[in-house]
Amino acid sequence: MREKIKEIFIQSRHQFVSGEEISKQLNISRTAVWKHIEELKKEGYQFEAIRKRGYRLLNDPDDISKERLKANLSTQWLGKEIIYFSEVDSTQRVAHELAKNGVPHGTVVITDEQTEGKGRLGRTWFSEKGKGIWMSFILRPSFAYHQALQITLFTSVVLANTLKKLYQRNFLIKWPNDIYINGKKVSGILTEMHGEQDQIHYMIIGIGINTHQITFPENLKEIATSIQQETGYIPKRIELIQHFFTEFEQDYSRFEGEGFMPFYKQYNDALYGKGRRIQLKQVNQQIEGTIMCIDSNGYLILQEDDGKEAKVVSGDIFF
Ligand code: BTX
């Protein structure tokens, strides 16, 4: 019951909910509601209570403030500097500005809401307040340009592994950069870099993870989902971010030293749509074929209708 009450407050974050509404919705007495709220306060939830209006959630243990994120974070460099906004246009834009001004490797920009979240190729990323993880982090890599192209794939493997470990479900990777569960997109990764052919000045890894949504706008309903919607868990964003940072940092040293090779098998194990016929749209052309696997460089291998193999470097998959 307490989980259900928690859920009502999280979903109506920052608005008043009356004890009466909760008691009707859950079919319990007003006294029972009050007792649960008292217990939630002990867990760290803070409420504002106003007579006749009810309770408003001010602060809950899932708030992703800088202090909370840093507490118990055991990484060496990822997240040592955290810039938090309650609202911002795009963490990706802010991260670019900070990177140009010389902030250190591993600096994280994170927000509770984005008003102009960016996807790839000028697309938008829907980033609702308090319902997901919207963050970008800055890397100053020592590796060469071609390896930088594989970092999106590497990040997808780390994120899918983290989600699997925490929520024991089959999170898959839709090549190159989306995490899927039960046929819908739960997370997207956007990698941007600044540099020249032989020297990368910095990279920005932007990650959006839908954690708490239970509904999506009309245009996303069929394609998007959240961890809560698919697993029934009410995820703790701090826990998820900290686990991800720890895994990323550990695996990153290996990626720096050995490249994508040690990770491509894991990527293939999680590859979404294996054996399915797809259309692959690129800027100037479209290819049709069946998804076979990715190779150790991260290229997607398709089997075309005449049996020939096509190796693809970039594009968007449509089923
Ligand atoms: P993408 O171009 O692969 O995916 C964008 C497409 O995904 C959109 O056109 C839309 O169809 C769909 N979409 C939009 N929002 C969502 C959502 N919340 N859940 C599921 N599907 C959605 C993927 O780009 C890379 C996204 C990176 C987002 C992060 S958030 C933090 C950072 N800051 C920023 O501005 N972008 C990155």
Side-chain angles (χ1 to χ4, degrees), residues 88-95 109-111 114-128 133-137 174 176-180 184-192 204-210 213 216-217 219-220 223-226 316:
V88 75
D89 52 354
S90 156
T91 56
Q92 203 76 1
R93 182 195 61 73
V94 176
V109 184
I110 186 159
T111 186
Q114 288 187 125
T115 51
E116 289 171 49
K118 295 200 302 173
R120 291 183 304 151
L121 308 167
R123 295 190 280 243
T124 54
W125 184 260
F126 172 67
S127 321
E128 202 180 351
I133 295 169
W134 326 120
M135 67 177 175
S136 303
F137 52 92
K174 182 176 167 209
N177 69 323
D178 292 327
I179 308 290
Y180 267 56
K184 288 183 171 178
K185 180 146 134 183
V186 69
S187 168
I189 298 165
L190 171 67
T191 310
E192 295 175 309
I204 313 279
I205 314 279
I207 301 187
I209 310 172
N210 302 325
Q213 292 93 334
F216 281 89
N219 63 326
L220 295 177
I223 54 169
T225 193
S226 71
D316 276 311

Side-chain angles (χ1 to χ4, degrees), residues 23-138:
S23 81
K24 274 196 191 141
Q25 202 172 324
L26 301 178
N27 206 12
I28 55 172
S29 71
R30 296 275 297 272
T31 320
V33 173
W34 179 81
K35 279 190 185 152
H36 283 299
I37 288 176
E38 289 306 304
E39 287 304 314
L40 285 175
K41 284 185 191 165
K42 288 184 198 154
E43 287 179 29
Y45 288 78
Q46 289 176 345
F47 297 93
E48 180 185 357
I50 295 188
R51 263 176 69 85
K52 299 221 167 103
R53 291 186 73 190
Y55 302 90
R56 184 161 70 116
L57 184 60
L58 292 178
N59 192 8
D60 75 62
D62 188 45
D63 275 354
I64 48 170
S65 67
K66 175 174 166 174
E67 292 69 30
R68 285 215 168 114
L69 275 172
K70 287 189 97 166
N72 307 320
L73 180 65
S74 57
T75 52
Q76 302 288 315
W77 52 266
L78 185 53
K80 283 287 140 189
E81 290 286 333
I82 294 179
I83 318 298
Y84 168 80
F85 297 91
S86 59
E87 181 194 307
V88 75
D89 52 354
S90 156
T91 56
Q92 203 76 1
R93 182 195 61 73
V94 176
H96 275 285
E97 256 175 38
L98 292 171
K100 279 181 200 141
N101 290 328
V103 294
H105 176 68
T107 300
V108 174
V109 184
I110 186 159
T111 186
D112 213 32
E113 177 179 13
Q114 288 187 125
T115 51
E116 289 171 49
K118 295 200 302 173
R120 291 183 304 151
L121 308 167
R123 295 190 280 243
T124 54
W125 184 260
F126 172 67
S127 321
E128 202 180 351
K129 188 168 189 65
K131 303 280 170 70
I133 295 169
W134 326 120
M135 67 177 175
S136 303
F137 52 92
I138 295 152

Side-chain angles (χ1 to χ4, degrees), residues 246-309:
T246 309
E247 294 255 337
F248 188 95
E249 194 177 285
Q250 265 168 19
D251 289 344
Y252 184 78
S253 352
R254 190 144 188 229
F255 178 75
E256 267 198 314
E258 298 174 51
F260 185 56
M261 184 69 109
F263 303 97
Y264 94 97
K265 286 207 173 68
Q266 290 177 52
Y267 192 107
N268 268 323
D269 289 342
L271 182 63
Y272 178 68
K274 248 180 285 180
R276 281 179 68 183
R277 215 182 125 73
I278 58 145
Q279 294 176 328
L280 188 110
K281 292 192 182 152
Q282 295 176 314
V283 182
N284 294 322
Q285 62 166 344
Q286 185 168 311
I287 309 172
E288 291 193 4
T290 302
I291 297 183
M292 307 303 289
C293 59
I294 66 159
D295 70 9
S296 59
N297 288 312
Y299 300 152
L300 182 69
I301 311 289
L302 293 178
Q303 187 170 49
E304 293 181 281
D305 292 343
D306 57 8
K308 277 197 207 128
E309 279 191 354

